Amino acid sequence: MNATDPIADMLTRIRNASSAGLKYTTIPASIMKIEITKILETEGLIRGYRLIKDNGQGKIKIAMKYSEVGQPVIRGLKRVSKPGCRVYKGVADLPKIRGGLGFAILTTPKGVLTSKTARTERVGGEVLAYVW
């Protein structure tokens, strides 16, 4: 599949798997998607992930995480910067998502970071997505 916006495709697959109550979802792999997946795991929003090698670009198998009552841990994912309209923020302009309950995922000169980490590193960048 040739997606115009692979990051939006990834977020949509995670959002759909979460709302459907699936244990796993699989997405095509790329370096950027692996970095975003690492952030989701570090923040405790997914149980884990595994890279699956194949003859092509590979796949990422993500283990979804739910609360004890079966509610998805990921309440929302929103794509911010798009191929047609890039959104950049300086460190002073980084948004607080849901009153500090969520975070933004950014690409910065220091790598892919959460908005919380970007503030401590004193660096801004392109805002990829909001997660809460």
Side-chain angles (χ1 to χ4, degrees):
M1 181 178 133
N2 188 5
T4 305
D5 189 359
I7 304 298
D9 179 60
M10 172 191 183
L11 298 177
T12 300
R13 288 178 190 230
I14 292 172
R15 191 180 313 111
N16 289 344
S18 180
S19 65
L22 300 178
K23 290 184 179 183
Y24 300 97
T25 187
T26 305
I27 59 172
S30 74
I31 294 170
M32 180 67 70
K33 291 179 194 175
I34 292 169
E35 292 300 316
I36 292 171
T37 305
K38 285 179 185 176
I39 287 175
L40 293 177
E41 182 181 39
T42 303
E43 293 294 322
L45 298 174
I46 60 174
R47 287 187 298 140
Y49 68 96
R50 196 175 86 211
L51 298 175
I52 301 170
K53 302 239 184 219
D54 60 8
N55 293 335
Q57 66 188 32
K59 298 194 183 306
I60 306 170
K61 185 174 184 180
I62 299 174
M64 304 304 293
K65 188 173 183 179
Y66 300 94
S67 68
E68 294 81 23
V69 294
Q71 294 294 325
V73 174
I74 296 175
R75 296 290 185 186
L77 293 165
K78 181 182 178 193
R79 179 74 158 123
V80 179
S81 188
K82 299 172 183 164
C85 182
R86 301 290 183 185
V87 177
Y88 296 92
K89 297 286 184 181
V91 67
D93 299 326
L94 291 176
K96 292 219 182 242
I97 312 305
R98 301 283 171 154
L101 297 176
F103 59 91
I105 298 176
L106 295 99
T107 57
T108 70
K110 296 188 177 185
V112 180
L113 303 173
T114 65
S115 54
K116 298 171 189 175
T117 309
R119 279 189 196 91
T120 60
E121 296 282 331
R122 304 287 303 154
V123 66
E126 181 182 356
V127 182
L128 296 177
Y130 294 152
V131 183
W132 66 90

